[in-house]
Coordinates of all heavy atoms in Angstrom, one line a residue:
M189 N -53.5 114.6 44.6 CA -54.7 114.1 43.9 C -55.3 115.3 43.0 O -55.6 115.1 41.9 CB -55.7 113.7 44.9 CG -57.0 113.2 44.3 SD -56.8 111.5 43.8 CE -58.4 110.9 43.8
V190 N -55.3 116.5 43.6 CA -55.8 117.6 42.8 C -54.9 117.9 41.7 O -55.3 118.2 40.6 CB -56.0 118.8 43.7 CG1 -56.4 120.0 42.9 CG2 -57.1 118.5 44.8
R191 N -53.6 117.8 41.9 CA -52.6 118.1 40.9 C -52.8 117.2 39.7 O -52.7 117.6 38.6 CB -51.2 118.0 41.5 CG -50.2 118.4 40.5 CD -48.8 118.3 41.1 NE -48.0 119.3 40.6 CZ -46.9 119.7 41.0 NH1 -46.4 119.2 42.1 NH2 -46.2 120.6 40.4
Q192 N -53.0 115.9 40.0 CA -53.1 114.9 38.9 C -54.4 115.2 38.1 O -54.4 115.1 36.9 CB -53.2 113.5 39.5 CG -53.3 112.4 38.5 CD -53.4 111.1 39.1 OE1 -53.4 110.9 40.4 NE2 -53.4 110.0 38.3
K193 N -55.5 115.6 38.8 CA -56.8 115.8 38.2 C -56.6 117.0 37.2 O -57.1 117.0 36.1 CB -57.9 116.1 39.2 CG -59.2 116.2 38.6 CD -60.2 116.4 39.7 CE -61.0 115.2 39.9 NZ -62.1 115.3 40.8
C194 N -55.9 118.1 37.7 CA -55.7 119.3 36.8 C -54.9 118.9 35.6 O -55.1 119.4 34.5 CB -55.1 120.4 37.6 SG -56.2 121.1 38.9
S195 N -53.9 118.1 35.8 CA -53.1 117.7 34.7 C -53.9 117.0 33.6 O -53.7 117.2 32.5 CB -51.9 116.8 35.2 OG -51.3 116.2 34.1
G196 N -54.8 116.1 34.1 CA -55.7 115.4 33.2 C -56.6 116.3 32.4 O -56.9 116.1 31.2
I197 N -57.1 117.4 33.1 CA -58.0 118.3 32.4 C -57.2 119.1 31.4 O -57.7 119.3 30.3 CB -58.6 119.3 33.5 CG1 -59.6 118.5 34.4 CG2 -59.3 120.4 32.8 CD1 -60.1 119.3 35.6
R198 N -56.0 119.5 31.7 CA -55.2 120.2 30.7 C -54.9 119.3 29.5 O -54.9 119.8 28.3 CB -53.9 120.7 31.3 CG -54.0 122.1 31.9 CD -52.7 122.6 32.4 NE -52.7 122.6 33.8 CZ -51.8 122.1 34.6 NH1 -50.7 121.6 34.1 NH2 -51.9 122.1 35.9
R199 N -54.6 118.1 29.8 CA -54.3 117.1 28.7 C -55.5 116.9 27.8 O -55.4 116.8 26.6 CB -53.9 115.8 29.3 CG -53.2 114.9 28.4 CD -52.6 113.7 29.2 NE -53.2 113.7 30.5 CZ -53.1 112.7 31.3 NH1 -52.5 111.6 31.0 NH2 -53.6 112.7 32.5
S200 N -56.7 116.9 28.4 CA -57.9 116.7 27.6 C -58.2 117.9 26.7 O -58.6 117.8 25.6 CB -59.1 116.3 28.5 OG -59.5 117.4 29.3
Y201 N -58.0 119.1 27.3 CA -58.1 120.3 26.4 C -57.2 120.3 25.2 O -57.6 120.6 24.1 CB -57.9 121.6 27.2 CG -59.0 122.0 28.1 CD1 -58.8 122.4 29.4 CD2 -60.3 122.0 27.7 CE1 -59.8 122.8 30.2 CE2 -61.4 122.4 28.5 CZ -61.1 122.8 29.8 OH -62.2 123.1 30.5
L202 N -56.0 119.9 25.5 CA -55.0 119.8 24.4 C -55.4 118.7 23.3 O -55.4 119.0 22.1 CB -53.6 119.4 24.9 CG -52.5 119.2 23.9 CD1 -52.2 120.5 23.2 CD2 -51.3 118.7 24.6
A203 N -55.9 117.6 23.8 CA -56.3 116.5 22.9 C -57.6 116.9 22.1 O -57.7 116.7 20.9 CB -56.6 115.2 23.6
V204 N -58.5 117.6 22.8 CA -59.7 118.1 22.1 C -59.4 119.1 21.1 O -59.9 119.1 19.9 CB -60.7 118.6 23.1 CG1 -61.9 119.4 22.5 CG2 -61.3 117.5 24.0
G205 N -58.5 120.0 21.4 CA -58.1 121.0 20.4 C -57.4 120.4 19.2 O -57.6 120.8 18.1
L206 N -56.6 119.4 19.5 CA -55.9 118.7 18.4 C -56.9 118.0 17.5 O -56.8 118.0 16.3 CB -54.8 117.8 18.9 CG -54.0 117.1 17.9 CD1 -53.1 118.1 17.1 CD2 -53.1 116.1 18.6
G207 N -57.8 117.3 18.2 CA -58.9 116.6 17.4 C -59.7 117.5 16.6 O -60.1 117.2 15.4
Q208 N -60.1 118.7 17.1 CA -60.9 119.6 16.4 C -60.1 120.1 15.1 O -60.8 120.4 14.1 CB -61.3 120.8 17.2 CG -62.4 120.5 18.2 CD -62.8 121.6 19.1 OE1 -61.9 122.5 19.4 NE2 -64.0 121.7 19.5
S209 N -58.8 120.3 15.2 CA -58.1 120.7 14.0 C -58.1 119.7 12.9 O -57.9 120.1 11.8 CB -56.6 121.1 14.4 OG -55.9 119.9 14.8
F210 N -58.4 118.4 13.2 CA -58.6 117.4 12.2 C -60.0 117.1 11.9 O -60.3 116.1 11.3 CB -57.8 116.1 12.7 CG -56.4 116.2 12.6 CD1 -55.6 116.5 13.7 CD2 -55.7 116.1 11.4 CE1 -54.2 116.6 13.6 CE2 -54.3 116.2 11.3 CZ -53.6 116.5 12.4
G211 N -60.9 117.8 12.5 CA -62.4 117.7 12.3 C -63.0 116.6 13.1 O -64.1 116.1 12.8
V212 N -62.4 116.2 14.2 CA -63.0 115.2 15.1 C -63.8 115.9 16.2 O -63.3 116.8 16.8 CB -61.9 114.3 15.7 CG1 -62.4 113.2 16.6 CG2 -61.0 113.6 14.6
S213 N -64.9 115.3 16.5 CA -65.8 115.9 17.6 C -65.1 115.8 18.9 O -64.5 114.8 19.3 CB -67.1 115.1 17.6 OG -67.8 115.4 18.8
P214 N -65.3 116.9 19.8 CA -64.7 116.8 21.1 C -65.3 115.6 22.0 O -64.6 115.1 22.8 CB -65.1 118.1 21.8 CG -65.3 119.0 20.6 CD -65.8 118.2 19.5
L215 N -66.5 115.3 21.7 CA -67.1 114.2 22.5 C -66.4 112.9 22.1 O -66.1 112.1 23.0 CB -68.6 114.0 22.1 CG -69.3 112.8 22.7 CD1 -69.4 112.9 24.2 CD2 -70.7 112.7 22.1
H216 N -66.1 112.7 20.9 CA -65.4 111.4 20.5 C -64.0 111.4 21.0 O -63.5 110.3 21.4 CB -65.4 111.3 19.0 CG -66.8 111.2 18.4 ND1 -67.2 111.8 17.2 CD2 -68.0 110.6 18.9 CE1 -68.5 111.5 17.0 NE2 -69.0 110.9 18.1
V217 N -63.3 112.5 21.0 CA -61.9 112.5 21.6 C -62.0 112.2 23.1 O -61.2 111.4 23.6 CB -61.3 113.9 21.3 CG1 -60.0 114.0 22.1 CG2 -61.1 114.1 19.8
T218 N -62.9 112.8 23.8 CA -63.1 112.5 25.2 C -63.4 111.1 25.5 O -62.8 110.5 26.4 CB -64.1 113.5 25.8 OG1 -63.8 114.8 25.5 CG2 -64.2 113.3 27.3
I219 N -64.3 110.5 24.7 CA -64.6 109.1 25.0 C -63.4 108.2 24.7 O -63.1 107.3 25.5 CB -65.8 108.7 24.0 CG1 -67.1 109.3 24.5 CG2 -66.0 107.1 24.0 CD1 -68.2 109.1 23.5
A220 N -62.7 108.5 23.7 CA -61.5 107.7 23.4 C -60.4 107.8 24.5 O -59.8 106.8 24.9 CB -60.9 108.1 22.0
M221 N -60.3 109.0 25.0 CA -59.3 109.2 26.1 C -59.8 108.5 27.4 O -58.9 107.9 28.1 CB -59.1 110.7 26.4 CG -58.3 111.4 25.4 SD -58.0 113.1 25.8 CE -57.1 112.9 27.3
L222 N -61.0 108.5 27.7 CA -61.5 107.9 28.9 C -61.4 106.3 28.8 O -61.1 105.7 29.8 CB -63.0 108.2 29.2 CG -63.2 109.7 29.6 CD1 -64.7 110.0 29.7 CD2 -62.5 109.9 31.0
I223 N -61.6 105.8 27.6 CA -61.5 104.3 27.5 C -60.1 103.9 27.7 O -59.8 102.9 28.4 CB -62.0 103.9 26.1 CG1 -63.6 104.1 26.0 CG2 -61.6 102.5 25.8 CD1 -64.1 103.9 24.7
T224 N -59.1 104.5 27.0 CA -57.8 104.1 27.1 C -57.0 104.6 28.3 O -56.0 103.9 28.7 CB -57.0 104.5 25.8 OG1 -57.1 105.9 25.7 CG2 -57.6 103.9 24.6
E225 N -57.4 105.6 28.9 CA -56.7 106.2 30.1 C -56.8 105.2 31.3 O -55.8 105.1 32.0 CB -57.2 107.6 30.4 CG -56.4 108.2 31.5 CD -56.9 109.6 31.8 OE1 -58.0 110.0 31.3 OE2 -56.3 110.3 32.6
Q226 N -57.9 104.6 31.5 CA -58.1 103.7 32.6 C -57.1 102.5 32.6 O -56.6 102.1 33.6 CB -59.5 103.2 32.7 CG -60.5 104.3 32.9 CD -60.2 105.2 34.1 OE1 -59.9 104.6 35.1 NE2 -60.3 106.4 33.9
I227 N -56.8 102.1 31.4 CA -55.8 101.0 31.3 C -54.4 101.5 31.7 O -53.6 100.8 32.3 CB -55.8 100.4 29.9 CG1 -57.2 99.8 29.6 CG2 -54.8 99.3 29.7 CD1 -57.5 99.3 28.2
G228 N -54.1 102.7 31.3 CA -52.8 103.2 31.5 C -52.5 103.5 33.0 O -51.4 103.6 33.4
L229 N -53.6 103.6 33.8 CA -53.4 103.9 35.2 C -52.7 102.7 35.9 O -52.1 102.9 37.0 CB -54.7 104.2 35.9 CG -55.3 105.5 35.6 CD1 -56.7 105.6 36.3 CD2 -54.4 106.6 36.2
L230 N -52.7 101.6 35.3 CA -52.0 100.4 35.9 C -50.5 100.6 36.0 O -49.8 100.0 36.7 CB -52.3 99.2 35.1 CG -53.8 98.8 35.0 CD1 -54.0 97.6 34.0 CD2 -54.3 98.4 36.4
L231 N -50.0 101.5 35.1 CA -48.5 101.7 35.1 C -48.1 103.0 35.9 O -46.9 103.2 36.1 CB -48.1 102.0 33.6 CG -48.0 100.8 32.7 CD1 -47.6 101.2 31.3 CD2 -47.1 99.7 33.3
S232 N -49.1 103.7 36.3 CA -48.7 105.0 37.0 C -48.1 104.8 38.3 O -48.6 104.1 39.2 CB -50.0 105.8 37.2 OG -49.7 107.0 37.8
P233 N -46.9 105.5 38.5 CA -46.2 105.4 39.8 C -46.9 106.2 40.9 O -46.5 106.1 42.0 CB -44.8 105.8 39.5 CG -44.9 106.7 38.3 CD -46.1 106.2 37.5
V234 N -47.9 107.0 40.6 CA -48.5 107.9 41.6 C -49.7 107.2 42.2 O -50.4 107.8 43.1 CB -48.9 109.3 41.0 CG1 -47.6 110.0 40.6 CG2 -49.9 109.2 39.9
I235 N -50.1 106.0 41.8 CA -51.2 105.3 42.3 C -50.7 104.4 43.5 O -49.8 103.6 43.3 CB -51.9 104.4 41.2 CG1 -52.3 105.3 40.0 CG2 -53.1 103.6 41.7 CD1 -53.3 106.3 40.3
P236 N -51.3 104.6 44.6 CA -50.8 103.8 45.8 C -50.9 102.3 45.6 O -50.1 101.6 46.1 CB -51.8 104.3 46.9 CG -52.3 105.6 46.5 CD -52.3 105.6 45.0
A237 N -52.0 101.8 45.0 CA -52.1 100.4 44.8 C -50.9 99.8 44.0 O -50.5 98.7 44.2 CB -53.4 100.1 44.1
T238 N -50.4 100.6 43.0 CA -49.2 100.1 42.3 C -48.1 99.9 43.2 O -47.4 98.9 43.1 CB -48.9 101.2 41.2 OG1 -50.0 101.4 40.3 CG2 -47.7 100.7 40.4
H239 N -47.8 100.9 44.1 CA -46.7 100.7 45.0 C -46.9 99.6 46.0 O -46.0 98.9 46.3 CB -46.5 102.0 45.8 CG -45.8 103.1 45.0 ND1 -44.5 103.1 44.7 CD2 -46.3 104.2 44.5 CE1 -44.2 104.1 44.0 NE2 -45.3 104.8 43.8
L240 N -48.1 99.4 46.4 CA -48.4 98.3 47.3 C -48.2 97.0 46.6 O -47.5 96.1 47.2 CB -49.9 98.4 47.8 CG -50.4 97.2 48.7 CD1 -49.6 97.2 50.0 CD2 -51.8 97.3 49.0
G241 N -48.7 96.8 45.4 CA -48.5 95.5 44.7 C -47.0 95.3 44.4 O -46.5 94.2 44.6
L242 N -46.3 96.3 44.0 CA -44.9 96.2 43.7 C -44.0 95.8 44.9 O -43.1 95.0 44.9 CB -44.3 97.4 43.0 CG -44.9 97.7 41.6 CD1 -44.3 99.0 41.1 CD2 -44.5 96.6 40.7
S243 N -44.4 96.4 46.1 CA -43.6 96.1 47.3 C -43.9 94.7 47.8 O -43.0 94.1 48.3 CB -43.9 97.2 48.4 OG -45.3 97.1 48.8
L244 N -45.1 94.2 47.6 CA -45.5 92.8 47.9 C -44.7 91.9 47.1 O -44.4 90.8 47.5 CB -47.0 92.6 47.8 CG -47.8 93.3 48.9 CD1 -49.3 93.1 48.5 CD2 -47.5 92.7 50.2
L245 N -44.4 92.2 45.8 CA -43.7 91.4 44.9 C -42.2 91.6 44.9 O -41.5 91.0 44.1 CB -44.2 91.6 43.5 CG -45.7 91.1 43.3 CD1 -46.2 91.6 41.9 CD2 -45.8 89.6 43.4
N246 N -41.7 92.6 45.7 CA -40.3 93.0 45.7 C -39.8 93.4 44.4 O -38.7 93.0 43.9 CB -39.4 91.9 46.3 CG -39.7 91.6 47.7 OD1 -40.0 92.5 48.5 ND2 -39.7 90.3 48.1
L247 N -40.6 94.3 43.7 CA -40.2 94.8 42.4 C -40.0 96.3 42.4 O -40.6 97.0 43.3 CB -41.3 94.5 41.3 CG -41.4 93.0 40.9 CD1 -42.6 92.8 40.0 CD2 -40.2 92.5 40.3
R248 N -39.3 96.9 41.5 CA -39.2 98.3 41.4 C -40.1 98.8 40.3 O -40.5 98.1 39.4 CB -37.7 98.7 41.0 CG -36.7 98.3 42.1 CD -35.3 98.9 41.8 NE -35.0 99.1 40.4 CZ -34.1 98.4 39.8 NH1 -33.5 97.4 40.4 NH2 -33.9 98.6 38.5
V249 N -40.4 100.1 40.4 CA -41.4 100.7 39.5 C -40.8 100.6 38.0 O -41.6 100.3 37.1 CB -41.7 102.2 39.9 CG1 -42.5 102.9 38.8 CG2 -42.4 102.2 41.2
D250 N -39.6 100.9 37.8 CA -39.0 100.9 36.5 C -39.0 99.5 35.9 O -39.3 99.3 34.7 CB -37.6 101.4 36.5 CG -36.6 100.6 37.3 OD1 -37.0 100.1 38.3 OD2 -35.4 100.6 36.9
E251 N -38.9 98.4 36.7 CA -39.0 97.1 36.2 C -40.4 96.8 35.8 O -40.6 96.2 34.7 CB -38.6 96.1 37.3 CG -37.1 96.1 37.7 CD -36.9 95.2 38.9 OE1 -37.8 94.9 39.6 OE2 -35.7 94.9 39.1
H252 N -41.4 97.2 36.6 CA -42.8 97.0 36.3 C -43.2 97.7 35.0 O -43.8 97.1 34.1 CB -43.6 97.6 37.4 CG -45.1 97.7 37.2 ND1 -45.9 96.6 36.8 CD2 -45.9 98.8 37.2 CE1 -47.1 97.0 36.6 NE2 -47.1 98.3 36.8
I253 N -42.7 98.9 34.8 CA -43.1 99.7 33.6 C -42.4 99.0 32.4 O -43.1 98.9 31.3 CB -42.7 101.2 33.7 CG1 -43.6 101.8 34.8 CG2 -42.8 101.9 32.4 CD1 -43.2 103.2 35.1
R254 N -41.2 98.7 32.5 CA -40.5 98.1 31.4 C -41.1 96.8 31.0 O -41.3 96.5 29.8 CB -39.0 97.8 31.7 CG -38.1 97.5 30.6 CD -36.7 97.3 31.0 NE -36.1 98.5 31.7 CZ -35.7 98.5 32.9 NH1 -35.7 97.4 33.6 NH2 -35.2 99.6 33.5
H255 N -41.5 96.0 31.9 CA -42.1 94.7 31.6 C -43.6 94.8 31.1 O -44.0 94.0 30.2 CB -42.1 93.8 32.9 CG -42.8 92.5 32.8 ND1 -42.3 91.5 32.0 CD2 -44.0 92.1 33.2 CE1 -43.1 90.4 32.1 NE2 -44.2 90.8 32.8
S256 N -44.3 95.8 31.6 CA -45.8 95.8 31.3 C -46.1 96.8 30.2 O -47.3 96.7 29.7 CB -46.5 96.3 32.6 OG -46.2 95.4 33.6
M257 N -45.2 97.6 29.7 CA -45.6 98.7 28.8 C -46.2 98.1 27.5 O -47.3 98.6 27.1 CB -44.4 99.5 28.5 CG -44.7 100.7 27.6 SD -45.8 101.8 28.5 CE -46.0 103.1 27.4
T258 N -45.6 97.2 26.9 CA -46.1 96.6 25.6 C -47.5 96.0 25.8 O -48.4 96.1 25.0 CB -45.2 95.7 24.9 OG1 -44.8 94.6 25.9 CG2 -43.9 96.4 24.5
K259 N -47.6 95.2 26.9 CA -48.9 94.6 27.2 C -50.0 95.6 27.4 O -51.1 95.4 26.9 CB -48.8 93.7 28.4 CG -47.8 92.5 28.2 CD -47.6 91.7 29.5 CE -46.6 90.7 29.2 NZ -46.2 90.0 30.4
I260 N -49.7 96.6 28.2 CA -50.7 97.7 28.5 C -51.1 98.4 27.2 O -52.2 98.7 26.9 CB -50.2 98.6 29.5 CG1 -50.0 97.9 30.9 CG2 -51.1 99.8 29.7 CD1 -51.3 97.4 31.5
W261 N -50.1 98.7 26.3 CA -50.3 99.4 25.1 C -51.2 98.5 24.2 O -52.2 99.0 23.6 CB -49.0 99.7 24.4 CG -49.2 100.5 23.2 CD1 -49.3 101.8 23.1 CD2 -49.2 100.0 21.8 NE1 -49.5 102.3 21.8 CE2 -49.4 101.2 21.0 CE3 -49.2 98.8 21.2 CZ2 -49.5 101.0 19.6 CZ3 -49.3 98.7 19.9 CH2 -49.4 99.8 19.1
I262 N -51.0 97.2 24.1 CA -51.8 96.3 23.3 C -53.2 96.3 23.9 O -54.2 96.3 23.1 CB -51.2 94.9 23.2 CG1 -49.9 95.0 22.4 CG2 -52.2 93.9 22.7 CD1 -49.1 93.7 22.5
M263 N -53.4 96.2 25.2 CA -54.7 96.2 25.8 C -55.5 97.5 25.5 O -56.7 97.5 25.2 CB -54.6 96.1 27.3 CG -54.3 94.7 27.8 SD -54.0 94.6 29.6 CE -55.4 95.3 30.3
S264 N -54.8 98.6 25.5 CA -55.4 99.9 25.2 C -55.9 100.0 23.8 O -57.0 100.5 23.5 CB -54.3 101.0 25.5 OG -54.9 102.3 25.2
V265 N -55.1 99.5 22.9 CA -55.5 99.5 21.4 C -56.6 98.6 21.2 O -57.6 98.9 20.5 CB -54.3 99.1 20.5 CG1 -54.7 98.9 19.1 CG2 -53.2 100.2 20.6
C266 N -56.6 97.4 21.9 CA -57.8 96.5 21.8 C -59.0 97.1 22.3 O -60.1 96.9 21.7 CB -57.4 95.2 22.5 SG -56.2 94.2 21.7
A267 N -59.0 97.8 23.5 CA -60.1 98.5 24.0 C -60.7 99.5 23.1 O -61.9 99.7 22.9 CB -59.8 99.1 25.4
L268 N -59.8 100.3 22.4 CA -60.2 101.3 21.5 C -60.8 100.7 20.2 O -61.9 101.1 19.8 CB -59.0 102.1 21.1 CG -59.2 103.4 20.3 CD1 -60.2 104.3 21.1 CD2 -57.9 104.1 20.0
V269 N -60.3 99.6 19.8 CA -60.8 98.9 18.6 C -62.2 98.3 19.0 O -63.2 98.4 18.2 CB -59.9 97.8 18.1 CG1 -60.6 96.9 17.1 CG2 -58.7 98.4 17.5
A270 N -62.3 97.7 20.2 CA -63.6 97.2 20.6 C -64.7 98.3 20.7 O -65.8 98.1 20.3 CB -63.5 96.5 21.9
A271 N -64.3 99.5 21.2 CA -65.2 100.6 21.2 C -65.6 101.1 19.8 O -66.8 101.5 19.6 CB -64.6 101.8 22.0
L272 N -64.7 101.0 18.9 CA -65.1 101.3 17.5 C -66.0 100.3 16.9 O -67.0 100.7 16.2 CB -63.8 101.5 16.6 CG -62.9 102.7 16.9 CD1 -61.6 102.5 16.2 CD2 -63.6 103.9 16.4
V273 N -65.8 99.0 17.2 CA -66.6 98.0 16.7 C -68.0 98.0 17.2 O -69.0 97.9 16.5 CB -66.0 96.6 16.9 CG1 -66.9 95.5 16.6 CG2 -64.7 96.4 16.1
I274 N -68.2 98.2 18.5 CA -69.5 98.2 19.1 C -70.3 99.6 19.0 O -71.4 99.7 19.3 CB -69.5 97.8 20.6 CG1 -68.8 98.8 21.4 CG2 -69.0 96.4 20.7 CD1 -68.9 98.5 22.9
G275 N -69.6 100.6 18.4 CA -70.2 101.8 18.1 C -70.1 102.9 19.2 O -70.8 103.9 19.1
T276 N -69.4 102.6 20.3 CA -69.2 103.7 21.3 C -68.6 104.9 20.8 O -68.9 106.0 21.1 CB -68.4 103.1 22.5 OG1 -68.9 101.9 23.0 CG2 -68.3 104.1 23.6
I277 N -67.6 104.7 19.9 CA -66.9 105.8 19.2 C -67.3 105.7 17.7 O -66.8 104.8 17.0 CB -65.4 105.8 19.3 CG1 -65.0 105.8 20.8 CG2 -64.8 106.9 18.6 CD1 -63.6 105.5 21.0
P278 N -68.2 106.5 17.2 CA -68.6 106.4 15.8 C -67.5 106.8 14.9 O -66.7 107.8 15.2 CB -69.8 107.3 15.7 CG -69.9 108.1 16.9 CD -69.0 107.5 17.9
V279 N -67.4 106.2 13.8 CA -66.4 106.5 12.8 C -66.9 107.5 11.8 O -68.0 107.3 11.3 CB -65.8 105.2 12.1 CG1 -64.8 105.6 11.1 CG2 -65.3 104.3 13.2

C-alpha cells in the first residue's frame, strides 16, 4: 500500500513538472489526474476487489484488462471533458 502511494506521488511530481513546462498550473494538473485516476483503478491488478471480482467470474487479469481498456479510457476522457464543461478544470 505504501509503495503504491509513493509511486503515485512520484508520478504526480512528474506530471506537474511536465505541465509547468507548458504553462499549466500545478493545481489544474493535479485535479485532472485525480479525476481520471479513480477510473483507472478499476483495471489495476494490485486492488484486492479486482481479484475478488475476477475470481468470482472465473476470469484472468489479462482478459479483464484487454476487454475493459477501451471502455475505461473512454470513461476517463468523458470524465475529463465533463470536468472541463462544468468548470472544475478551468481552460
Side-chain angles (χ1 to χ4, degrees):
M189 182 81 156
V190 174
R191 183 178 213 167
Q192 183 181 2
K193 187 179 256 186
C194 290
S195 170
I197 291 170
R198 273 188 248 131
R199 198 173 9 169
S200 65
Y201 281 134
L202 178 66
V204 166
L206 183 63
Q208 283 179 332
S209 68
F210 287 100
V212 179
S213 164
L215 175 65
H216 298 143
V217 172
T218 305
I219 291 171
M221 284 184 65
L222 289 175
I223 290 171
T224 57
E225 184 177 11
Q226 298 305 317
I227 297 171
L229 284 177
L230 300 172
L231 287 177
S232 177
V234 296
I235 304 297
T238 302
H239 284 287
L240 176 63
L242 291 175
S243 64
L244 289 172
L245 296 170
N246 293 325
L247 294 173
R248 294 189 331 249
V249 174
D250 64 326
E251 292 172 341
H252 168 60
I253 291 173
R254 191 177 307 117
H255 175 73
S256 303
M257 186 62 179
T258 54
K259 294 174 187 173
I260 296 293
W261 186 82
I262 291 169
M263 286 174 51
S264 180
V265 170
C266 289
L268 191 57
V269 168
L272 288 168
V273 168
I274 65 173
T276 305
I277 304 172
V279 180

